[in-house]
């Protein structure tokens, strides 16, 4: 399922990062006593995603959310000349120098769209979908997170496809592996 996504995205794309991990109330007491930050700086697992405006998404577990990690991923997955919408996180500074049209929304000032179609609301919606699905499983182990991400990305990308076609597609993917 993780291989059944486009190699390159083009047009208008949204990029964002999130953190996946257990709820604070479910953490061990020793972890809660140490304290943690919300968002950037947390001990949760960072995940980076790209959503093309045709509602196709790609997600990957990353070690950190620095420019040195995220910008090469954007360069690999997004064709040059595309419009890249992001928040104002410093790791996205310099995207325009790599040949992209860079549009920003400033969540810190409660700006979620600039009224001209520049937003990352599609990807934020996917993060909500992903976190609800993972929470419904009772959480997942960090070592297996990439497998769950692959499944939920595939389900999200094929959400408007009839079940019969989805089953045929899964069978085709399995036959490719067997050969």
């Amino acid at each position: 399922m993780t291989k059944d996504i486009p190699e390159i995205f083009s047009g208008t794309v949204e990029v964002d990062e999130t953190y996946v991990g257990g709820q604070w109330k479910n953490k061990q007491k020793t972890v809660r006593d140490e304290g943690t930050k919300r968002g950037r700086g947390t001990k949760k697992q960072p995940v980076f995603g790209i959503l093309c405006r045709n509602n196709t998404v790609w997600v990957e577990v990353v070690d950190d959310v620095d420019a040195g990690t995220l910008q090469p991923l954007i360069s690999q997955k997004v064709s040059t000349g595309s419009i890249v919408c992001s928040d104002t996180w410093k790791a996205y500074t310099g995207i325009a120098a790599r040949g992209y049209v860079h549009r920003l929304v400033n969540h810190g000032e409660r700006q979620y769209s600039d009224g001209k179609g520049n937003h990352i609301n599609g990807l934020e919606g996917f993060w909500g979908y992903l976190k609800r699905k993972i929470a419904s499983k009772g959480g997942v182990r960090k070592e297996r997170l990439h497998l769950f991400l692959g499944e939920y990305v595939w389900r999200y990308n094929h959400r408007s496809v009839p079940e019969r076609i989805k089953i045929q597609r899964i069978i085709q993917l399995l036959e490719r592996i067997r050969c």
Side-chain angles (χ1 to χ4, degrees):
M1 291 178 155
T2 58
K3 306 227 185 283
D4 193 26
I5 55 169
E7 289 294 317
I8 301 287
F9 293 101
S10 62
T12 303
V13 298
E14 303 172 13
V15 297
D16 195 25
E17 71 291 332
T18 192
Y19 298 88
V20 178
Q23 292 183 353
W24 185 248
K25 67 181 182 180
N26 296 332
K27 297 288 184 190
Q28 293 178 352
K29 183 167 179 2
T30 56
V31 174
R32 284 182 299 187
D33 289 344
E34 290 176 12
T36 187
K37 290 179 63 178
R38 290 178 46 113
R40 296 178 184 102
T42 184
K43 294 182 182 183
K44 294 182 179 186
Q45 179 63 53
V47 177
F48 175 69
I50 300 173
L51 179 130
C52 187
R53 289 281 170 89
N54 67 2
N55 286 325
T56 303
V57 70
W58 172 84
V59 174
E60 185 167 307
V61 175
V62 293
D63 293 329
D64 56 52
V65 291
D66 296 334
T69 303
L70 302 185
Q71 288 191 17
L73 291 174
I74 294 170
S75 295
Q76 290 171 9
K77 298 301 286 183
V78 180
S79 65
T80 307
S82 298
I83 299 171
V84 176
C85 298
S86 73
D87 55 17
T88 55
W89 174 235
K90 65 182 178 181
Y92 303 124
T93 303
I95 290 293
R98 289 180 175 247
Y100 301 100
V101 178
H102 192 198
R103 302 285 185 243
L104 300 169
V105 291
N106 190 348
H107 289 180
E109 294 179 4
R110 298 192 170 276
Q111 178 189 22
Y112 300 100
S113 176
D114 66 355
K116 299 175 187 172
N118 300 317
H119 59 79
I120 57 171
N121 296 337
L123 195 50
E124 295 285 358
F126 173 75
W127 293 141
Y129 164 81
L130 175 69
K131 289 179 180 184
R132 281 191 305 276
K133 290 294 190 179
I134 289 176
S136 72
K137 297 285 183 198
V140 297
R141 291 182 183 264
K142 206 179 249 190
E143 307 83 44
R144 295 196 176 121
L145 179 60
H146 68 283
L147 299 172
F148 284 89
L149 291 176
E151 176 186 351
Y152 293 129
V153 164
W154 190 88
R155 287 177 183 260
Y156 186 85
N157 288 343
H158 295 84
R159 66 190 178 282
S160 60
V161 176
E163 289 296 318
R164 173 178 56 82
I165 309 265
K166 287 182 196 176
I167 292 169
Q168 290 173 352
R169 184 67 186 147
I170 291 172
I171 291 170
Q172 288 173 351
L173 292 169
L174 290 171
E175 287 174 348
R176 270 198 239 161
I177 293 171
R178 194 171 37 167
C179 295

